[in-house]
Amino acid sequence: MQGKIALVTGANRGIGFETCRQLRTMPGLAEVPVIMITALADRSSRLKGIEAGADDFISKPFDQTELRARVRSIYPPGPPMAGRGYCPTARAPMT
């Protein structure tokens, strides 16, 4: 899934976890990296998000620079890696 990423919110209401689980079962979307963004910050919630299939978990309020860095860790600048795309905006300087 070159250059695609899903940002999932709503974990505090439980729908974010379920959305993540559903994404992982859908052909064409199962391989899309998922970052959960939620008001939940406890260890149990982070683990629940990862178990639901999230690749990363960020608690609100989140820092835009941190979000960019996390996206870059999934899609580093440069040519696509095996099984992964790349993020063309990852070349932009962090502000």
Side-chain angles (χ1 to χ4, degrees):
M1 283 286 131
Q2 183 172 343
K4 296 184 186 225
I5 196 161
L7 301 176
V8 176
T9 62
N12 59 327
R13 295 181 307 278
I15 60 173
F17 298 122
E18 184 56 31
T19 298
C20 191
R21 279 192 280 282
Q22 288 179 11
L23 283 172
R24 294 301 182 209
T25 66
M26 301 171 111
L29 295 177
E31 299 299 318
V32 172
V34 174
I35 298 177
M36 295 193 80
I37 301 175
T38 178
L40 302 173
D42 60 284
R43 180 177 183 268
S44 175
S45 295
R46 289 192 310 272
L47 290 173
K48 189 174 178 181
I50 299 301
E51 289 168 356
D55 294 286
D56 208 342
F57 191 98
I58 300 175
S59 297
K60 293 178 186 176
F62 67 92
D63 179 81
Q64 290 181 5
T65 302
E66 178 185 2
L67 177 59
R68 277 192 218 103
R70 289 176 185 251
V71 169
R72 287 182 192 141
S73 75
I74 293 171
Y75 288 121
M81 300 182 318
R84 298 263 188 173
Y86 79 102
C87 181
T89 59
R91 297 172 193 257
M94 293 173 66
T95 56

